[in-house]
Amino acid sequence: MKLSSAMPSTQRDMNRLQSFTADLLGQAGALVEAIDPDGLDVVAPPQLQGAMGIPELCRLGFATTLPAGARRVDIEADWLACLAKVMGERGHWVRHVVDLSNPPLREPERLLEHELALDNAIYRLQGVEPAWTRYLILHFRYKALADEKRQGLVRLGINLATGAVL
């Protein structure tokens, strides 16, 4: 039984890193229970113990004030590398197919007149049919350390049919 998924009201109160850690450890086979203030009690299976370097019974803390006997988990520590080991290749690739049932376009020639400017040209729209394309969407996380610390996420989308950038 995964206690983290059995307690939705408690999980709503958790911070994002705590919630992510609870879900990931639960999916890896650990028993996870949220404790106050901002902590998790974990019973880890052997493969998880080896990947994260934690004992079988472990208490993790996510806030400035830690529960008694808890190990601090934060974004600056080596914990992200440990969580990446547990995660493996999951989450590195995702495929999502969007199936929209849009109604057929009414008066597509008028839409084309507004979007396509061909000076001194005569054209006739011969037909409209549904089409699809694929996009490659890349997410880059960056962290800049200088006089001041900056971090963020940059998204880049590429239409694979035309090479156009979103």
Side-chain angles (χ1 to χ4, degrees), residues 134-147:
R134 294 181 301 155
Y135 289 93
L136 176 62
I137 300 175
L138 304 168
H139 296 270
F140 297 99
R141 182 175 307 277
Y142 67 88
K143 183 184 282 187
L145 300 173
D147 293 338

Side-chain angles (χ1 to χ4, degrees), residues 32-110:
V32 181
E33 181 178 7
I35 58 171
D36 287 330
D38 297 322
L40 295 175
D41 276 340
V42 178
V43 179
Q47 72 274 11
L48 193 57
Q49 294 171 35
M52 294 190 67
I54 59 174
E56 182 179 9
L57 300 171
C58 182
R59 182 168 278 182
L60 305 175
F62 296 85
T64 54
T65 55
L66 297 176
R71 295 179 178 202
R72 180 177 304 282
V73 177
D74 60 11
I75 207 160
E76 297 297 328
D78 294 332
W79 281 98
L80 290 183
C82 292
L83 293 174
K85 285 182 199 174
V86 173
M87 201 166 163
E89 289 298 314
R90 292 180 293 161
H92 290 206
W93 297 95
V94 72
R95 179 180 178 199
H96 184 72
V97 177
V98 179
D99 182 26
L100 298 176
S101 300
N102 290 334
L105 292 175
R106 288 190 289 161
E107 301 180 24
E109 293 161 346
R110 292 203 56 195

Side-chain angles (χ1 to χ4, degrees), residues 12 19 23 26 37 39 62-63 68 72 83 93-94 105-106 119-120 124-125 129 141 152 155 161:
R12 269 185 254 129
S19 177
D23 288 343
F62 296 85
R72 180 177 304 282
L83 293 174
W93 297 95
V94 72
L105 292 175
R106 288 190 289 161
D119 296 331
N120 297 327
R124 181 179 308 156
L125 180 63
E129 62 186 54
R141 182 175 307 277
R155 294 184 182 114

